[in-house]
Amino acid sequence: MNLNQSLEPDSKVQILPKWEINEEKSYQFISESFELFDGDTISRNKVSYQVEMKVLDNTSNDLLLQWTYKNFVNEISEPKHSFSDIFGEIFDLLDGNQIQFEIDKSGAYLGLKNEEEIAEFEANIFEKIKEHMVNNYQVRTNSGMALGIAKGALNPFSSNDYDDFHTFFRLHGGSYEINKEVEIPVSLGQNREGEKLKVHFHELNQKTNEMSFSSNCDFDLINSNKLEGTDETTLVNFSLKNESKINDAGWPICSREERITSSAQKTKVEVRTLELL
């Protein structure tokens, strides 16, 4: 794995990860969201945590990586969220847990490696959530909600961390020309296929060996709902904007991603950031 970089104003850069075995980086993640209904804020939530990332293997064309979660801070201000205290307990349990997974040089996710440990952790979470819900809310122990929370607790590729993963590696494997826009395929977590992210490579800092990118994606969705035997369609707009910096070894330095989903009455805004510590 190598990196080709030319400093000419009209040149292209090819971004490939140049990471050594046992190399480690620490990142701060912050996820904020709020919802508006008819102009009024109905919820505002914030979660922050840190990830220690380690390269376990780079002996093939693929990379084996490990994420270790720590220092969760949870702020749920959603007034109607009956189970907000459950999430605080889950975050306490997540501290120190690890995910091991493979990616290829372009950043494509290839699969989890420690599935047994994750399954054991999810089973532990499930039991604790069932106990909590019975003791505090008198909810049946076979609650589907408890199972859903447990299944998503530590699998970053079935929850919001899936988005973090793509933010983290989205630009890898690409060839970009300064001040020219290119399109790359991207998973948006909304069962959408074939969507393209427009990426603009707008700065190469020769002193710091940092590359700056901006990207965006915007499209409309038509949702159909049957109410009282009639079809009702709702037009929903989804937009994604991202600002990122990457160093010459392919490590992200910082990233800020904003997602806005809006309809006639309701708007949801999600802002996800990561920063190299």
Side-chain angles (χ1 to χ4, degrees), residues 177-192:
E177 188 171 351
I178 292 178
N179 292 324
K180 289 194 176 180
E181 186 177 84
V182 299
E183 292 185 342
I184 60 174
V186 60
S187 171
L188 296 171
Q190 298 191 16
N191 298 320
R192 300 284 299 185

Side-chain angles (χ1 to χ4, degrees), residues 187-223:
S187 171
L188 296 171
Q190 298 191 16
N191 298 320
R192 300 284 299 185
E193 294 183 0
E195 297 298 340
K196 301 291 185 179
L197 193 74
K198 297 178 180 179
V199 179
H200 179 212
F201 170 37
H202 54 79
E203 182 185 1
L204 193 157
N205 190 315
Q206 298 182 35
K207 293 182 179 179
T208 61
N209 291 326
E210 295 177 1
M211 293 163 280
S212 298
F213 297 84
S214 61
S215 57
N216 67 83
C217 183
D218 188 276
F219 57 87
D220 291 327
L221 293 168
I222 297 178
N223 290 342

Side-chain angles (χ1 to χ4, degrees), residues 83 86-87 89-90 93 121-151:
F83 303 102
I86 292 178
F87 295 101
E89 292 191 13
I90 290 175
L93 292 169
F121 176 84
E122 288 174 342
N124 182 36
I125 288 280
F126 184 39
E127 293 302 319
K128 290 184 179 296
I129 293 173
K130 286 198 301 182
E131 180 181 353
H132 182 97
M133 295 176 76
V134 170
N135 293 340
N136 294 278
Y137 302 104
Q138 290 74 53
V139 178
R140 291 184 304 170
T141 57
N142 63 348
S143 168
M145 178 183 177
L147 180 60
I149 294 173
K151 290 296 290 182

